[in-house]
Amino acid sequence: MLSTVGVAMLATAAMAQTSAPTPPSAAPSAPTATQATASPAAETNLAGKGKWRTSKLIGVDIYGPDDNKVGDVTEVIVDKTGKVEMVTIGVGGFLGIGSKDVAVPFDQVNWSDQPIAPPAPAPAPSGSAGSTGGGMASPPPAAAAPKAPAMYPDHGKITMTKDQLKSAPSVTYAGT
């Protein structure tokens, strides 16, 4: 009986592959309104349209109010309608050992596409022995080439400090 079912499935697949396609009409048809306004590639390319890939949110650095890193995103929690409700932030530990996940409502994270600016270096005292300029100015930094949208933010910022996150309750998942 099992072999009969297998033969029937193979025959169905073979017939589907051998059916002749319908020939195109001889007269070219005018494009419809939807064909003229959007191409299939434009409809499926979501880059640059304010969309983020949740798989790319995992690992995004999260900073506290003092611009120090407090952890990174370990999970994205959605409700049954698909709305993002929370992110979990891995905090503490070393190389993932001893860390815990803390849930933070998604709307309490301020997401940014721009990196956090590094602190400006302290100006060197004039006439110091460490000055090697010799009167020559350093060349201006090279302009960065424009890049494609990343489809995820550079970082997030929350109002909680690392110590507050460490003292917050850990996330538990039912059934695990």
Side-chain angles (χ1 to χ4, degrees), residues 5-150:
V5 171
V7 169
M9 289 175 52
L10 286 173
T12 303
M15 288 191 322
Q17 290 177 356
T18 59
S19 62
T22 57
S25 63
S29 61
T32 62
T34 57
Q35 289 174 335
T37 59
S39 68
E43 293 172 7
T44 59
N45 184 3
L46 300 177
K49 296 189 184 220
K51 309 277 188 230
W52 289 342
R53 296 175 58 192
T54 57
S55 62
K56 296 293 185 180
L57 282 174
I58 307 297
V60 169
D61 292 336
I62 302 295
Y63 292 87
D66 55 358
D67 288 345
N68 287 325
K69 183 179 173 183
V70 295
D72 51 41
V73 176
T74 57
E75 193 69 63
V76 178
I77 309 296
V78 298
D79 67 11
K80 64 182 177 181
T81 65
K83 180 182 177 228
V84 177
E85 287 190 346
M86 296 185 181
V87 293
T88 60
I89 300 172
V91 64
F94 179 71
L95 297 175
I97 299 170
S99 66
K100 71 175 188 176
D101 290 341
V102 176
V104 175
F106 188 80
D107 60 357
Q108 289 185 11
V109 181
N110 293 318
W111 301 99
S112 176
D113 293 329
Q114 302 301 316
I116 288 185
S126 60
S128 67
S131 176
T132 59
M136 296 186 62
S138 61
K147 63 178 187 172

